[in-house]
Amino acid sequence: MIPYGRQHITADDEAAVLAVLRSDCITQGPAVPRFEQALAARVGAAHGVAVCNATAGLHIACLALGLGPGDRLWTSPNTFVASANCGLSCGATVDFVDIDPLSLNISVPALAAKLQAAEASGTLPKVVVPVHFAGQSCDMQAIHALARRYGFRIIEDASHAVGGSYLGQPVGNCRFSDLTVFSFHPVKIITTAEGGMVMTNDATLAARLARLRSHGITRDPACMDTVPEGPWVYEQVELGLNYRLTDLQAALGWSQLAQLDQSVARRHQIARHYDSALAGLPLVTPWQSPDAQSALHLYPVQVDPARSPLNRRQLFDGLRSAGIGVNVHYIPVHTQPHYRRLGFAPGQFPAAEAYYAQALSLPMFPTLTNAQQGAVIAALRQLLR
Ligand SMILES: *Cc1c(COP(=O)(O)O)cnc(C)c1O
């Protein structure tokens, strides 16, 4: 089976992990800050706070911005559930803004209209989470302008987008946001098995994130309520969690950074080949923003129901039977049972639902061989004759 995504672990990666395994500290040693500093430098952010996964990163990002009961968080329905769950985990109310059918990212006109209505009814969000779907940045300049006008904070869910850029600058530099969260799950661009990082340019937010990641505990006398009795004293000054990344994982992530540019370049090569090879088929291929260079985590196509002999389900089954591990991204979050029980219903975000009905993610990962890609294309041609 050719998967839709897969990690690429090199001999250098193995050596980096092994070096930590043989060292004194397999967690809370020097590999975590080394990885944080390297990625922060790579994406042009002042600070990076490594966490055990992006879900944890989104959670403490919300906590650090003070999101809590009575507050509202808005995000895109075309995402993994974690982009919305972080709001619920803080006790806040979650709502969605429909997507733009071309970019498949949060629609800026829909966001502007919803903000205008929310201002009138006194229900403005505290936090908006734009999700860079498939690795292509949202229109952050426009979202940032709305944040200034309406006073909300921005957390970019860049789980798909490390290695991508927007207006010629790396995603993660937080030029148009408060915080940016990356994921290092094995299907994403670089991996630490499980892992994530929160980027920010705000030193106060970075310190708060680091504290929330480790039980709400500080060892810095300047941050303590009382003068410490001795050098062993730590104080828990707020309620935090254990969301730390291990040194083993951080060493892997640090080593994986070496292949980031190459990985994204290979993904672009694969995408350009799909674009041209699929041109005659009844499929809608991904749109490329002139403002952004996608990291191409995914290559999502849409079945064109007016022209296709097969519907999405039939094409999915046909490809799976041919040994091609296609997938579907994403079931609109508001249609999940947990969200339905909170009052959401199908029909509320029609663009996300219409996209989902036809969506199919084709294999996209840097070690996909030309022969494997050829097999994917041949299977599509055969099935869609
Ligand atoms: C993968 C993903 C997450 C969660 O990442 P984990 O590291 O697995 O917790 C969050 N948001 C989006 C959009 C994702 O694709």
Side-chain angles (χ1 to χ4, degrees), residues 4 51-58 78-84 129-134 157-160 181-188 192-197 297-298 329-330:
Y4 82 90
V51 283
C52 55
N53 53 61
T55 304
L58 288 162
N78 182 34
T79 186
F80 185 57
V81 294
S83 315
V129 181
V131 181
H132 304 320
F133 179 71
D157 183 343
S159 292
H160 301 183
V181 180
F182 292 129
S183 171
F184 311 127
H185 183 277
V187 296
K188 309 287 165 74
T192 59
E194 293 278 358
M197 201 182 290
H297 162 53
L298 299 173
H329 300 93
Y330 281 103

Side-chain angles (χ1 to χ4, degrees), residues 311-335:
N311 63 29
R312 194 273 307 275
R313 175 62 196 265
Q314 292 165 328
L315 187 58
F316 179 95
D317 289 343
L319 289 164
R320 282 278 178 108
S321 303
I324 295 158
V326 285
N327 216 325
V328 173
H329 300 93
Y330 281 103
I331 302 165
V333 178
H334 68 283
T335 67

